[in-house]
Amino acid sequence: MTYMANLGQPVCLVGYIWYVEDTKKILVDSGGTVEQLTKNGLPAYELQTLDSGLKKLGITVNDIDLIIQTHLHLDHVALASRFPNAHVIVQKRELDFARNPHPIWEGLYDRKLFENLNFEVIDGDLRISEDINILFTPGHSPGGQSVSVKTETGTAVITGLCSILDNYNPSPLPDGKTIAALAPTIHSDLFQAYDSIARIKELADMILPIHDPTFLSKESIP
Ligand SMILES: [Zn+2]
């Protein structure tokens, strides 16, 4: 998860679907499946099904208006086709790459998961409402995007890079040096990833990295 740091330390990751309620009912990302992860040799189990999560919120798949895809890696888009009334915002650079990935990343994109989605393709930042903004944050993937949400206690940013909290506030390196940010080990552009993390840190009062287990114990943010 952290490029050139924490080598050899096992890390436990979580995959989230985030629900954001504004005038619209919005999801950020649409999940992965245990089957995908185990097929790739990662030990995985399901913590909550999509339907039980929605049920807790008193909604169903039919109620979701909008899905903002941080990116199209298969562990983030697997369940998008389950939302019949949602349009799906994706960055142009992400969709172009996902449709024709570099051979080394063919395993990370599965065209059948996204080819029939009702896409709204954007290029760069986009204001969704007064309180919700999409930020173009490439580097983990060519067209990664993050979502900032104004809450009662400050701005929360759901990150568009597969990352954990240590990417944003790294522990000191073994030689005692500290570094402001650690790019994810999986990246399409190392320096863009670093810059995107710096941008998120600048804007966010709360950073919500999309694989950090911290938020498992929280029912809502803040
Ligand atoms: Zn991921």
Side-chain angles (χ1 to χ4, degrees):
M1 293 307 289
T2 47
Y3 180 67
M4 289 176 67
N6 305 318
L7 300 176
Q9 290 178 29
V11 59
C12 175
L13 304 177
V14 176
Y16 297 99
I17 299 174
W18 306 86
Y19 174 66
V20 183
E21 197 167 282
D22 193 50
T23 50
K24 290 178 176 165
K25 292 181 170 60
I26 302 171
L27 298 183
V28 179
D29 282 344
S30 48
T33 67
V34 168
E35 294 73 47
Q36 290 170 339
L37 297 167
T38 48
K39 212 170 87 185
N40 287 305
L42 296 164
Y45 62 96
E46 188 162 65
L47 293 162
Q48 177 171 261
T49 65
L50 171 63
D51 296 293
S52 63
L54 292 171
K55 199 174 168 190
K56 273 193 202 168
L57 298 163
I59 57 174
T60 71
V61 289
N62 298 314
D63 297 317
I64 299 298
D65 305 302
L66 172 61
I67 300 171
I68 302 170
Q69 281 295 147
T70 61
H71 61 304
L72 294 174
H73 284 166
L74 48 77
D75 60 321
H76 294 266
V77 70
L79 304 174
S81 62
R82 292 231 18 229
F83 300 90
N85 303 318
H87 75 276
V88 180
I89 296 185
V90 69
Q91 290 286 331
K92 180 178 187 307
R93 279 168 261 203
E94 185 70 14
L95 187 58
D96 289 348
F97 186 89
R99 283 176 170 155
N100 187 23
H102 186 283
I104 206 165
W105 268 16
E106 265 168 13
L108 288 178
Y109 292 98
D110 182 351
R111 201 173 170 133
K112 65 180 179 304
L113 297 176
F114 58 80
E115 65 187 350
N116 293 319
L117 298 178
N118 178 20
F119 277 125
E120 176 184 346
V121 181
I122 65 170
D123 193 5
D125 293 356
L126 182 73
R127 185 177 184 271
I128 300 292
S129 70
E130 205 181 314
D131 294 332
I132 301 174
N133 280 280
I134 292 178
L135 316 167
F136 182 52
T137 51
H140 167 63
S141 65
Q145 57 186 357
S146 300
V147 184
S148 84
V149 183
K150 276 192 200 135
T151 75
E152 285 161 14
T153 57
T155 299
V157 176
I158 301 169
T159 72
L161 306 92
C162 287
S163 53
I164 54 177
L165 282 167
D166 211 37
N167 294 91
Y168 301 83
N169 291 300
S171 319
L173 299 173
D175 62 5
K177 286 193 185 119
T178 52
I179 184 165
L182 291 170
T185 302
I186 297 176
H187 50 254
S188 57
D189 186 307
L190 178 63
F191 307 111
Q192 265 186 346
Y194 183 96
D195 292 346
S196 289
I197 287 178
R199 183 180 186 204
I200 291 165
K201 284 181 71 168
E202 181 80 26
L203 287 167
D205 300 307
M206 286 168 274
I207 298 174
L208 313 182
I210 51 180
H211 285 296
D212 198 287
T214 302
F215 310 100
L216 273 185
S217 56
K218 295 190 194 304
E219 287 293 315
S220 67
I221 308 289

